[in-house]
Amino acid sequence: MQDPLAFIIAFAQMAAAFALLNGVLTTIGQGRIVSSAIESIARQPEAAGTIRTTMFIGLGIAETSGIYGLLIAFILLFANPLIPIYMQFAG
């Protein structure tokens, strides 16, 4: 049987990669938010203030999602909570 600690570390690295994928998808989502807002302002210039405000709220929420993904990746890579639990039961 392989070392369970190596399995925990490998799984944590794969999970961190998936969490960092969130950052790529966040960038694509932010581009769509801005392009839709620009298109909406071009169609209805009188509603530019409302559209701009809604756009900035959406960008803030999307950016927060990317930061959370980065935070989860850092926790999994550098402060993995599963390793101390394994060490406690292993020896």
Side-chain angles (χ1 to χ4, degrees):
M1 182 174 168
Q2 295 180 357
D3 184 22
L5 182 60
F7 177 75
I8 292 172
I9 292 172
F11 187 74
Q13 289 177 349
M14 288 187 292
F18 283 125
L20 289 177
L21 182 63
N22 182 25
V24 173
L25 299 176
T26 298
T27 305
I28 293 169
Q30 286 179 341
R32 291 189 60 157
I33 290 170
V34 172
S35 69
S36 296
I38 290 172
E39 184 179 326
S40 299
I41 290 172
R43 288 185 183 185
Q44 294 182 345
E46 66 275 359
T50 305
I51 294 169
R52 189 177 304 116
T53 303
T54 306
M55 178 191 72
F56 283 128
I57 291 171
L59 286 174
I61 292 171
E63 187 66 28
T64 303
S65 172
I67 292 171
Y68 286 151
L70 181 64
L71 178 68
I72 289 170
F74 279 155
I75 289 171
L76 287 172
L77 291 176
F78 300 115
N80 193 336
L82 297 176
I83 293 175
I85 295 171
Y86 170 74
M87 292 301 202
Q88 178 183 9
F89 288 117

